[in-house]
Amino acid sequence: MTDIQPAGAGLDARITGVTVFTDGARVTRSGMTSVRPGLHPVVVATLPELADPSSVRVAARGNDLALLNVEVRHQVGTEPLQESVAELRADVRRCQDAVRELDDADAAEQAGLAYLGHLSEASATALARALGAGRVGYDELSGMASHLSAATAGTLARRREIGARRLAAQRELDAAEERLNAAESGAGRPLRSVAVSVLLEAEAWTEAEIELTYHVKLASWRPQYDLVLDGDRLKVSYLAEITQRTGEDWPETALVLSTARQGLRRGLPELSPWYIGRPQPPAPAPASRPRPRGAEPPAGGGPERARVFAASAPLPEAKVLAAQPGESDSGGVTYTVARPLAVPGDGDPHKTLIASLDLDVALDYLTVPVLAAEAYLRATVSNGSLLLLPGQARVFHGAQFSGETKLDSVAPGEEFKVQLGVDDQIKVERTLRRRTTGKAVIGGTRTIDVGYEITVTNHRDRKAVVSVKDRIPVSTDGDIKVKPREASPAPVAADDLGELTWALTLGPGESAAVRHRFTVEHPSQVTVAGL
């Protein structure tokens, strides 16, 4: 008969890798244990409550070793008193002693101040009598008054300094007591977790390597960018901000960032027929049939049952982050962080560098003076080999911070435009040069004639290419006609929605003007709104 070793043998399965998604994380734990011949139950790990039991996977490696079963179950315990509570209590006592010491110092100064007051009254009476009898002069009286005044001022200054120190010490004491109360209130409360155990069978003494993976919620990463413009080069720092509240701290370990995400539906979306007809009465519910005694549901159907597999070969190494981004099985892109990174489960953001890009840019300016009389520096950039996810970007011109913008999703090799801030050395002005309304007889047509002028001046010491956009109205009424009359220079683009675009090339100190005019014709009895 095969021997079964005592149950409850534990395994120190530490976190050895984490893959962070935009909506969760996959954690990998691994450890080694010695297995003697026979059946050997092993408690692999106790996972946080947020671990998804159905996501648990276990692999075992070893000579003449078989993985027979994996059991995943919820358990409820009592959270023990934290080891740090003793340190917190000592910290509270230290703060209390500091407050009491300052109280004693203030009491001593207050006693000295009372003595000075008593001494001042007594000396005033004695000196007045001595002065009347001619035994002392005004110099002695003035000297005693100056001494008492200086001693009183010094005592009051020391009391103010002690009061400020006591206020700071009291705040430190309040914070220490709050930390202690929070730690003590957590002790004894129900602690929910997910326990994972396996059953191994070995033919002979062997070393077993066990690897455990599971998925947790309340973890995510989001991209951020630093865009530094240096001449005609744009340096892009591709950053990741990682946060997690999974119930456990991630130590310094291999960290992988993945762009893969779940869709809004668990399965592939499928349309079902859309039926209409007469209302039908609800069908009667079928009578429940009692389950035969001894019948059990099919094994492996519940969410608490994890899949069992034995790995025969080591997992492939993750690809190098900056040089060769990898691809996940779900179609996303993975980035392996260059150095191990610890991420505590406190919910605070932790940043790491994904990659640095040095890209060529073509610079020009865009101005839409009907919205804002400003010129925006714009860079046209060709992305390299990395997938850039949507995220906030900080813009720098050299070492100077210029503002913030936002990047949309950019595929590898795709060309995109990015706004690099307002350039106040490109001056823009839009003025109404013409607005006349023609006369019309009753039942006739009235014409409104409108003209604008846009002036752009380059105050920089280099050439500037400026795209100017303006618009003419679009009629939604067949009786109201909008007709463009003239434009100087001719726009390089015009669309059906009334948008006009000009391209200006200005040398240092040069200025150029764009003029355009349109008319609106309408029946005299019709009022035009929006013009």
Side-chain angles (χ1 to χ4, degrees):
M1 182 176 180
T2 305
D3 293 333
I4 300 179
Q5 298 182 33
L11 174 69
D12 185 16
R14 300 183 179 182
I15 295 177
T16 56
V18 179
T19 298
V20 187
F21 305 95
T22 56
D23 56 356
R26 184 175 64 243
V27 181
T28 301
R29 290 175 175 265
S30 61
M32 299 288 295
T33 185
S34 296
V35 182
R36 68 185 184 187
L39 296 178
H40 187 76
V42 178
V43 177
V44 179
T46 300
L47 310 181
E49 181 185 4
L50 293 176
D52 183 1
S54 63
S55 70
V56 173
R57 301 291 183 270
V58 177
R61 301 177 180 88
N63 296 323
D64 300 322
L65 181 70
L67 176 59
L68 300 182
N69 187 42
V70 176
E71 184 179 359
V72 182
R73 68 181 186 278
H74 285 286
Q75 63 182 13
V76 180
T78 302
E79 185 170 348
L81 195 65
Q82 301 178 11
E83 296 180 1
S84 60
V85 169
E87 298 179 2
L88 293 175
R89 286 175 177 168
D91 193 29
V92 169
R93 288 193 294 270
R94 178 186 62 80
C95 294
Q96 290 172 339
D97 292 341
V99 171
R100 282 194 291 266
E101 182 179 350
L102 291 171
D103 286 339
D104 293 342
D106 184 67
E109 294 292 342
Q110 191 172 4
L113 189 63
Y115 174 74
L116 286 174
H118 177 73
L119 181 62
S120 177
E121 293 178 1
S123 61
T125 302
L127 286 174
R129 292 174 180 174
L131 182 64
R135 294 192 298 271
V136 296
Y138 285 101
D139 291 341
E140 288 85 351
L141 182 62
S142 177
M144 177 59 72
S146 297
H147 172 74
L148 292 174
S149 176
T152 301
T155 302
L156 292 174
R158 287 191 295 274
R159 287 199 68 192
R160 287 193 298 270
E161 188 266 338
I162 291 172
R165 289 167 52 197
R166 190 193 184 284
L167 180 60
Q170 184 63 47
R171 289 174 178 171
E172 187 176 354
L173 173 60
D174 294 341
E177 290 177 340
E178 185 176 352
R179 291 193 296 268
L180 177 61
N181 292 335
E184 289 180 338
S185 63
R189 66 183 179 184
L191 181 63
R192 295 175 174 82
S193 59
V194 178
V196 180
S197 58
V198 299
L199 182 61
L200 304 176
E201 184 179 30
E203 297 180 6
W205 277 99
T206 185
E207 292 292 319
E209 178 186 1
I210 299 178
E211 184 177 87
L212 165 71
T213 62
Y214 54 96
H215 192 276
V216 287
K217 301 177 181 178
L218 298 186
S220 64
W221 76 278
R222 64 175 184 175
Q224 292 185 341
Y225 303 90
D226 283 348
L227 309 178
V228 181
L229 181 63
D230 186 6
D232 292 335
R233 305 287 294 175
L234 184 66
K235 297 179 180 179
V236 181
S237 294
Y238 191 1
L239 306 170
E241 185 180 86
I242 306 165
T243 58
Q244 63 107 344
R245 291 184 180 273
T246 63
E248 61 184 357
D249 296 334
W250 298 341
E252 288 190 357
T253 187
L255 192 65
V256 177
L257 308 175
S258 175
T259 64
R261 65 180 180 87
Q262 295 183 354
L264 299 179
R265 299 173 60 92
R266 291 290 183 178
L268 293 177
E270 294 183 2
L271 284 175
S272 57
W274 182 4
Y275 296 109
I276 61 173
R278 297 176 181 271
Q280 298 293 328
S288 59
R289 302 173 63 181
R291 179 182 297 173
R293 182 173 299 178
E296 298 295 337
E304 303 291 348
R305 179 69 62 182
R307 295 184 181 177
V308 180
F309 65 93
S312 59
L315 296 175
E317 293 290 334
K319 299 191 176 193
V320 179
L321 170 63
Q324 297 178 353
E327 294 185 2
S328 68
D329 295 338
S330 54
V333 179
T334 60
Y335 303 112
T336 303
V337 176
R339 61 177 179 84
L341 179 67
V343 182
D346 52 11
D348 290 338
H350 300 269
K351 287 186 179 181
T352 186
L353 178 68
I354 295 178
S356 294
L357 308 174
D358 194 359
L359 305 174
D360 290 320
V361 296
L363 299 176
D364 69 341
Y365 294 92
L366 172 66
T367 180
V368 187
V370 67
L371 301 180
E374 298 171 330
Y376 292 86
L377 181 60
R378 181 174 61 176
T380 302
V381 190
S382 180
N383 186 21
S385 59
L386 293 181
L387 170 65
L388 305 182
L389 295 181
Q392 291 295 121
R394 298 184 299 175
V395 179
F396 298 85
H397 290 182
Q400 182 178 359
F401 177 67
S402 180
E404 292 186 338
T405 186
K406 186 177 181 180
L407 291 186
D408 295 326
S409 180
V410 183
E414 181 181 355
E415 186 176 270
F416 65 100
K417 296 182 184 294
V418 59
Q419 187 259 108
L420 299 179
V422 174
D423 191 337
D424 289 329
Q425 297 190 60
I426 307 295
K427 297 296 184 182
V428 181
E429 183 180 6
R430 181 179 187 262
T431 57
L432 177 64
R433 305 296 296 179
R434 178 186 184 94
R435 185 183 178 100
T436 62
T437 302
K439 297 181 179 180
V441 297
I442 297 176
T445 299
R446 176 171 287 133
T447 299
I448 304 174
D449 196 342
V450 181
Y452 287 95
E453 179 179 275
I454 301 170
T455 304
V456 183
T457 305
N458 177 20
H459 292 282
R460 285 201 165 273
D461 58 359
R462 62 174 184 268
K463 181 179 69 174
V465 177
V466 184
S467 292
V468 181
K469 289 184 179 292
D470 207 348
R471 65 190 178 188
I472 62 175
V474 178
S475 174
T476 58
D477 189 302
D479 292 333
I480 300 175
K481 309 293 185 182
V482 179
K483 297 180 180 180
R485 291 302 181 183
E486 60 180 344
S488 176
V492 296
D495 62 19
D496 295 336
L497 296 179
E499 183 175 295
L500 307 175
T501 304
W502 292 266
L504 304 179
T505 301
L506 305 177
E510 287 187 353
S511 179
V514 169
R515 300 179 181 87
H516 71 96
R517 186 172 66 89
F518 61 90
T519 58
V520 178
E521 299 176 357
H522 63 95
S524 58
Q525 71 275 14
V526 174
T527 300
V528 179
L531 184 61

